[in-house]
Amino acid sequence: DAGVIQSPRHEVTEMGQEVTLRCKPISGHDYLFWYRQTMMRGLELLIYFNNNVPIDDSGMPEDRFSAKMPNASFSTLKIQPSEPRDSAVYFCASSWGDEQYFGPGTRLTVT
Amino acid sequence: GNSVTQMEGPVTLSEEAFLTINCTYTATGYPSLFWYVQYPGEGLQLLLKATKADDKGSNKGFEATYRKETTSFHLEKGSVQVSDSAVYFCALSPWGNDMRFGAGTRLTVKP
């Protein structure tokens, strides 16, 4: 298996622009997680899905963030409008059981 | 609530030194415990886990024992290598997919 796939790996955008991050989980996994990692706040869980249904989005910072999972093999995290404080590495992870498998992350820089 | 506390870094060791990274947890019930490792520029990878008291997880020369009496899950390795330089995260899962990560400990091993 190719593992969790994320795209793009790097994204640089200007403040106010819309950003869309993409994730393809491991086939057969029924949970999908979105995390954000920064030096100041460490690793934060933003939202997770079970069988494509959002279960807990209490970690989503504000209404500018939204996530969807239209099918079992694809999820997006969208930021609109983006702000410099959104600069971070965003990870997608998937699991079946209690072991989570992380993608390589998307490094987002908002200028 | 459910949480983990791990020793602050950074930790710097010489090659072949003994490694201990402390991790203690607070939990209701009987969580599973994990160590994840993050190499530069990559996502987190599961290093080892233990699912019940007195279990020992091990992988790549690393070990950790689930100690219920001291609520601890310390990571150890007898002889570290330069290639072990990474950030190590302790984590617990009180139920299947609710994973709580520690702040991470950066390890640097010098030749």
Side-chain angles (χ1 to χ4, degrees):
Chain A
D1 200 314
V4 176
I5 299 172
Q6 292 188 246
S7 64
R9 292 294 311 274
H10 302 273
E11 177 79 40
V12 180
T13 191
E14 292 184 349
M15 182 174 61
Q17 296 298 306
E18 177 180 294
V19 175
T20 300
L21 311 182
R22 297 172 175 80
C23 174
K24 176 179 170 55
I26 293 172
S27 176
H29 284 189
D30 57 351
Y31 279 83
L32 184 139
F33 306 81
W34 282 100
Y35 291 90
R36 178 172 67 176
Q37 185 178 43
T38 61
M39 289 294 291
M40 292 297 294
R41 301 175 67 91
L43 194 63
E44 303 172 276
L45 176 64
L46 300 178
I47 185 172
Y48 73 90
F49 296 82
N50 177 222
N51 292 322
N52 313 336
V53 176
I55 302 300
D56 185 353
D57 65 355
S58 59
M60 296 285 263
E62 48 198 275
D63 292 346
R64 297 184 297 106
F65 286 69
S66 63
K68 295 182 179 179
M69 191 166 186
N71 57 62
S73 59
F74 184 65
S75 177
T76 60
L77 178 67
K78 185 176 293 187
I79 307 172
Q80 167 63 20
S82 58
E83 297 182 2
R85 60 192 168 122
D86 301 330
S87 297
V89 180
Y90 291 81
F91 289 104
C92 175
S94 68
S95 73
W96 184 86
D98 61 3
E99 297 179 17
Q100 293 189 18
Y101 293 81
F102 282 72
T106 295
R107 180 173 296 276
L108 174 64
T109 302
V110 183
T111 60
Chain B
N2 298 300
S3 66
V4 294
T5 302
Q6 58 183 107
M7 65 184 286
E8 293 186 14
V11 175
T12 302
L13 296 173
S14 297
E15 205 164 25
E16 299 184 1
F18 185 86
L19 169 70
T20 300
I21 301 178
N22 290 337
C23 172
T24 57
Y25 68 89
T26 302
T28 53
Y30 305 98
S32 295
L33 300 174
F34 305 80
W35 278 100
Y36 279 79
V37 59
Q38 183 180 27
Y39 299 103
E42 298 183 10
L44 280 69
Q45 303 174 23
L46 179 65
L47 181 59
L48 54 84
K49 74 173 187 180
T51 58
K52 61 183 187 296
D54 299 326
D55 266 3
K56 177 185 284 187
S58 61
N59 186 24
K60 299 180 181 180
F62 291 89
E63 294 183 340
T65 301
Y66 190 142
R67 302 286 189 197
K68 185 180 175 184
E69 63 277 13
T70 54
T71 62
S72 65
F73 192 56
H74 303 323
L75 182 67
E76 297 181 337
K77 186 175 185 183
S79 177
V80 294
Q81 305 300 311
V82 172
S83 57
D84 295 326
S85 297
V87 181
Y88 292 82
F89 293 87
C90 184
L92 71 79
S93 178
W95 62 269
N97 287 284
D98 181 16
M99 190 76 74
R100 310 295 175 90
F101 288 91
T105 302
R106 181 176 299 278
L107 170 67
T108 301
V109 180
K110 297 188 173 181

